[in-house]
């Protein structure tokens, strides 16, 4: 079982590296891999706003680039909101490429923490449904 509090602390530390001069909204993600390693990521913005990469995708792309593609859990933290901020739709879609519906996703701000799963955040996922034979 993943220690989500520990993973959130690693996400908090990752948020300190955020490059977010446009939104001033720092986010960190910590991705626990099946082999026990943790790969972190942060949001990287650009003056062409649409090119911004979220913390979650930064972590996932780093892991895949390092040859790791099996994951146990992800934690996402922002120090710039009291409320927990959930992963965006694009990050949910990217996560769904690599993990199943029961994958734990914890997200937190300074005063709120939500423990969820990818299936809750991203239901009716055709890729996973195709894999488990429930459609197609
Ligand atoms: N952001 C993330 O990195 N992850 C999230 O889950 C929500 C939003 C970033 C994108 C942008 O750099 C900033 O937060 C404001 O939206």
């Amino acid at each position: 079982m993943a220690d989500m509090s520990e993973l959130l602390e690693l996400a908090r530390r990752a948020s300190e590296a955020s490059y977010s001069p446009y939104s001033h909204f720092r986010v960190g993600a910590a991705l626990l891999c099946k082999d026990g390693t943790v790969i972190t990521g942060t949001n990287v913005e650009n003056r062409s706003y649409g090119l911004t990469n979220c913390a979650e995708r930064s972590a996932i792309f780093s892991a895949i680039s390092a040859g790791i593609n099996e994951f146990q859990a992800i934690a996402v933290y922002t120090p710039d909101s009291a409320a927990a901020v959930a992963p965006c739709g694009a990050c949910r879609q990217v996560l769904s490429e690599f993990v199943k519906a029961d994958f734990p996703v914890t997200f937190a701000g300074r005063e709120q923490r939500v423990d969820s799963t990818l299936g809750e955040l991203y239901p009716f996922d055709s890729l996973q449904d195709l894999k488990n034979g429930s459609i197609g």
Side-chain angles (χ1 to χ4, degrees), residues 4 6 8 25 36 44 68 73 79-80 82-83 86 91 94 98 103 107 111 113 117 124:
M4 298 310 284
E6 193 180 309
L8 264 182
F25 194 80
V44 182
I68 302 173
D80 295 321
C91 289
V94 168
F98 302 106
F103 182 78
F107 46 96
E111 292 169 17
R113 166 178 164 169
T117 62
F124 305 107

Side-chain angles (χ1 to χ4, degrees), residues 20 23 25 27 43-45 52-56 76 85-88 91:
S20 45
S23 72
F25 194 80
V27 185
N43 56 327
V44 182
E45 298 186 345
T52 291
N53 209 63
C54 293
E56 297 90 322
V76 185
V85 174
C88 79
C91 289

Side-chain angles (χ1 to χ4, degrees), residues 40-97:
T40 59
T42 193
N43 56 327
V44 182
E45 298 186 345
N46 192 272
R47 64 191 183 281
S48 176
Y49 296 164
L51 299 182
T52 291
N53 209 63
C54 293
E56 297 90 322
R57 276 175 292 142
S58 294
I60 296 161
F61 294 157
S62 291
I64 298 297
S65 301
I68 302 173
N69 58 13
E70 292 190 315
F71 308 119
Q72 287 187 52
I74 193 167
V76 185
Y77 182 82
T78 177
D80 295 321
S81 165
V85 174
C88 79
C91 289
R92 297 178 199 197
Q93 164 84 13
V94 168
L95 263 177
S96 79
E97 191 75 22

Side-chain angles (χ1 to χ4, degrees), residues 1 3 7 11 19 22-23 34 43 78-79 87 94-95 98 104 120:
M1 242 329 238
D3 180 339
L7 210 54
Y19 179 77
Y22 305 103
S23 72
K34 281 259 165 77
N43 56 327
T78 177
V94 168
L95 263 177
F98 302 106
E120 258 178 11

